[in-house]
């Protein structure tokens, strides 16, 4: 059974600081997704990482994938309040097509002024 | 709005009643997924359709749950004889099945929050 573990589960950080969220998974996969969820809202797609060494950046967020280590990271640079949300990584263990996703438990990020 | 839509957004029901939720995917997407999300957890996969065919079902989908996607467009998820443990957010997602991985990205609807009293 595929397991996806995120840490930390809760993260409180000051504006302007940097931090990294980690996502470990237990089976072979070359496809990993990061989503953002605001309270009471649905999931918004942030990044799709499709191969070993993939790196994607958008604004203050940068995601990377190391398939050999079965590890993805989401790095936050110079955090701002608007980044406060819950971030999920999700793994698609099925090669060739995206079917069911297995999600981590999420990292609840709070950016303090 | 051309995103995934779900109705109703909220449903409160008494234990033992049946409920039905509807999902309208993005119009050109041929894949449709149902997930369940409880407080503080990530979404858990329930079932998946490609066009009108239900191709995968999770072990979480007990006999009280049934999903349909007639004509390969909208989908319904029915829960019979609801239990308090069914209280959760039910999320629908759709994707455009393709060999191009990016296009398989799943887009989520706003969800239906079910409360069983």
């Amino acid at each position: 059974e595929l397991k996806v573990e995120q840490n930390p589960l809760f993260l409180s950080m000051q504006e302007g600081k940097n931090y990294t969220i980690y996502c470990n998974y237990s089976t072979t996969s070359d496809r990993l997704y990061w989503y953002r969820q605001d309270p009471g809202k649905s999931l918004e797609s942030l990044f799709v990482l499709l191969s070993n060494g993939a790196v994607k950046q958008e604004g203050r967020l940068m995601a990377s994938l190391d398939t050999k280590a079965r590890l993805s990271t989401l790095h936050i640079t110079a955090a701002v309040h608007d980044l406060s949300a819950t971030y999920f990584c999700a793994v698609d263990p099925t090669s060739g097509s995206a079917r069911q996703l297995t999600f981590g438990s999420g990292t609840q990020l709070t950016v303090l002024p | 709005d051309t995103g995934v839509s779900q109705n109703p957004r909220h449903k409160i029901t008494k234990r033992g009643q049946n409920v039905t939720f509807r999902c309208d995917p993005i119009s050109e997407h041929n894949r449709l997924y149902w997930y369940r999300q409880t407080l503080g957890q990530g979404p858990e996969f329930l079932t998946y359709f490609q066009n009108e065919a239900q191709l995968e079902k999770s072990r979480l989908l007990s006999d009280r749950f049934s999903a349909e996607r007639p004509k390969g467009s909208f989908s319904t998820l029915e829960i019979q004889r609801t239990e308090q443990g069914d209280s959760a957010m039910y999320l629908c997602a759709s994707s455009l099945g393709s060999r191009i991985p990016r296009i398989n990205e799943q887009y989520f609807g706003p969800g239906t929050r079910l409360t069983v009293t």
Side-chain angles (χ1 to χ4, degrees):
Chain A
E1 180 186 347
L2 170 60
K3 291 190 190 312
V4 180
E5 293 184 352
Q6 282 182 242
N7 69 83
L9 297 183
F10 300 93
L11 176 56
S12 182
M13 56 191 297
Q14 297 285 331
E15 276 192 331
K17 298 293 187 183
N18 305 332
Y19 209 84
T20 300
I21 299 171
Y22 296 89
C23 173
N24 290 89
Y25 55 96
S26 64
T27 195
T28 303
S29 174
D30 59 0
R31 192 171 306 182
L32 189 137
Y33 304 79
W34 284 95
Y35 287 88
R36 168 183 171 143
Q37 187 174 37
D38 291 292
K41 301 289 180 65
S42 190
L43 285 85
E44 173 193 354
S45 178
L46 295 175
F47 299 108
V48 180
L49 301 169
L50 300 176
S51 61
N52 188 42
V55 177
K56 296 280 185 72
Q57 180 163 6
E58 180 136 354
R60 301 174 188 274
L61 300 178
M62 183 173 70
S64 66
L65 178 61
D66 181 343
T67 58
K68 293 180 182 176
R70 297 179 183 172
L71 170 69
S72 180
T73 60
L74 181 66
H75 186 73
I76 303 154
T77 302
V80 293
H81 179 70
D82 285 352
L83 291 179
S84 296
T86 299
Y87 293 85
F88 292 96
C89 63
V91 176
D92 170 18
T94 309
S95 61
S97 64
R99 292 182 286 183
Q100 64 187 83
L101 297 180
T102 299
F103 284 80
S105 297
T107 296
Q108 187 176 317
L109 171 66
T110 303
V111 181
L112 304 171
Chain B
D1 186 353
T2 56
V4 179
S5 62
Q6 293 186 245
N7 287 289
R9 296 292 305 276
H10 302 273
K11 178 72 177 178
I12 300 174
T13 191
K14 291 185 178 179
R15 187 164 53 99
Q17 299 293 306
N18 300 343
V19 294
T20 300
F21 310 140
R22 176 177 170 130
C23 170
D24 287 89
I26 295 171
S27 60
E28 65 268 26
H29 285 186
N30 58 6
R31 294 182 175 182
L32 187 146
Y33 311 78
W34 285 98
Y35 291 84
R36 181 175 70 186
Q37 185 178 25
T38 53
L39 199 61
Q41 298 297 317
E44 295 173 293
F45 170 77
L46 292 178
T47 190
Y48 154 67
F49 290 85
Q50 175 134 351
N51 299 311
E52 66 275 9
Q54 188 174 18
L55 297 185
E56 285 187 40
K57 288 197 290 187
S58 162
R59 287 171 295 176
L60 293 175
L61 213 65
S62 75
D63 291 345
R64 297 185 296 106
F65 288 70
S66 62
E68 295 182 341
R69 193 183 181 196
K71 304 178 184 176
S73 56
F74 71 92
S75 175
T76 58
L77 177 68
E78 181 183 16
I79 308 174
Q80 296 182 326
R81 304 180 304 280
T82 52
E83 302 172 356
Q84 287 188 322
D86 297 331
S87 295
M89 174 80 88
Y90 289 84
L91 293 164
C92 175
S94 70
S95 73
L96 179 62
S98 167
R99 290 184 182 179
I100 303 173
R102 177 75 187 185
I103 301 179
N104 280 329
E105 185 178 356
Q106 294 182 26
Y107 296 85
F108 283 80
T112 295
R113 182 167 295 284
L114 172 66
T115 303
V116 181
T117 62

